[in-house]
Amino acid sequence: MRKKIVAGNWKMFKTNSEAVRLVQSLRTRVEKSPVKKNTVIVCPPYTALEKVSGILQGSGIQVGAQNLFWEEEGAYTGEISAKMIKSTGAKWVIIGHSERRRYFKEDENLIHRKIQIALKNKLKVIFCVGETLEEREENLTKDIVGNQVEWGLKDFTHQQLNQVVIAYEPVWAIGTGKTATPEQAQEVHAFIRDILNALFDDTVGRNMTILYGGSVKPQNAEGLFQQPDIDGGLIGGACLKADSFHRIIKAAEKVY
Ligand code: PEP
């Protein structure tokens, strides 16, 4: 059975006091209506990681960072290492998000190095892939996503791959209100499994948790989660309010 996950990416939102309010409210909701089957992860900004981890202790909700640096430590002003993230209590890190690829010019090689350092430090990885609108319109979705998966995960062992989940996030659906239809998402998720089978072997394709991300909301979550190759969601905008994030968590509990 593949692990099913609902993860929230807060991006550059929430001061520490706002973060505290959001996770306290989420914790209260989850205590009233417990998460029995799935994994829930919140990914606040670095500044709130330790506080959020403290508040969520014992709640079953896990914590992740949104990025890390590719070296262990050193003279890299402004950067954050895997060890620093671990020291906050976080267990996960998002790598390869399209906003990092776009605004910070992160390429496949850099993303691969980031995944390597995360795994070396025993952080689990949410590895994001996805095509832009132009790429989709030019019929390049499979080339782009296939290449991202291949380079990002190149040379990892089965044991390392067990610590990675993939998030398919079509760039044109992120923050735009335009969700991929369940069928469009399903098609790419199934393709990602095929690529993993070709690169490694069919246990990898079968066992890999693949999340969908891109304007997931309480209203469309169930339809997406019902697809056979969709194992949950990476949620942006809708995770910034406890109520909507919790409704998505409940949709996953209902479907899986
Ligand atoms: C994201 O940033 O990973 C994301 C999916 O954002 P949104 O849900 O707002 O489209």
Side-chain angles (χ1 to χ4, degrees), residues 7-11 13 94 97-99 128 167-179 212-217 233-240 248:
N9 171 14
W10 295 15
K11 311 196 184 193
F13 291 100
I94 299 173
H97 192 280
S98 65
E99 287 151 15
C128 302
Y168 168 58
E169 300 207 302
V171 180
W172 48 273
I174 296 182
T176 58
K178 255 192 237 165
T179 324
Y212 168 78
S215 298
V216 178
K217 298 179 189 62
L234 178 55
I235 322 297
C239 79
L240 295 173
I248 296 171

Side-chain angles (χ1 to χ4, degrees), residues 4-215:
K4 313 293 185 195
I5 297 176
V6 177
N9 171 14
W10 295 15
K11 311 196 184 193
M12 198 176 72
F13 291 100
K14 309 291 179 191
T15 61
N16 272 2
S17 56
E18 291 166 342
V20 167
R21 277 202 295 278
L22 174 55
V23 280
Q24 277 172 340
S25 168
L26 184 62
R27 186 174 178 148
T28 308
R29 280 162 213 269
V30 167
E31 273 162 5
K32 276 196 209 127
S33 135
V35 182
K36 297 208 179 91
K37 294 179 275 179
N38 306 316
T39 301
V40 176
I41 307 166
V42 294
C43 301
Y46 291 135
T47 43
L49 280 175
E50 188 166 11
K51 251 198 159 49
V52 165
S53 294
I55 294 168
L56 291 179
Q57 238 175 29
S59 71
I61 302 174
Q62 302 182 22
V63 178
Q66 299 170 24
N67 182 31
L68 48 46
F69 193 66
W70 61 81
E71 295 286 358
E72 292 285 2
E73 62 181 0
Y76 302 105
T77 303
E79 290 300 329
I80 306 281
S81 72
K83 273 199 186 69
M84 292 171 189
I85 291 170
K86 281 216 81 177
S87 74
T88 67
K91 303 240 174 331
W92 292 83
V93 59
I94 299 173
I95 296 178
H97 192 280
S98 65
E99 287 151 15
R100 302 282 329 161
R101 293 175 187 265
R102 178 169 173 210
Y103 300 120
F104 303 96
K105 309 286 174 253
E106 293 194 5
D107 62 15
E108 306 318 325
N109 183 40
L110 193 85
I111 289 165
H112 180 72
R113 288 176 69 187
K114 287 189 173 193
I115 299 176
Q116 251 171 343
I117 199 94
L119 295 178
K120 189 167 169 227
N121 284 281
K122 306 223 165 349
L123 279 170
K124 294 184 193 169
V125 173
I126 300 174
F127 167 41
C128 302
V129 298
E131 81 289 0
T132 63
L133 184 58
E134 301 76 63
E135 288 161 350
R136 176 162 279 260
E137 285 172 349
E138 284 171 36
N139 243 335
L140 292 174
T141 300
K142 291 184 178 172
D143 293 333
I144 296 295
V145 171
N147 191 55
Q148 290 171 339
V149 170
E150 180 171 354
W151 283 90
L153 300 182
K154 171 168 63 101
D155 300 332
F156 288 137
T157 62
H158 282 59
Q159 211 182 352
Q160 286 174 308
L161 292 168
N162 278 338
Q163 306 304 306
V164 176
V165 304
I166 294 177
Y168 168 58
E169 300 207 302
V171 180
W172 48 273
I174 296 182
T176 58
K178 255 192 237 165
T179 324
T181 63
E183 294 73 25
Q184 280 173 321
Q186 165 58 30
E187 188 188 356
V188 181
H189 282 230
F191 167 73
I192 293 172
R193 291 197 200 288
D194 291 343
I195 286 282
L196 292 170
N197 291 342
L199 289 173
F200 303 98
D201 62 54
D202 65 358
T203 61
V204 176
R206 197 167 358 128
N207 296 336
M208 179 65 73
T209 294
I210 308 180
L211 312 179
Y212 168 78
S215 298

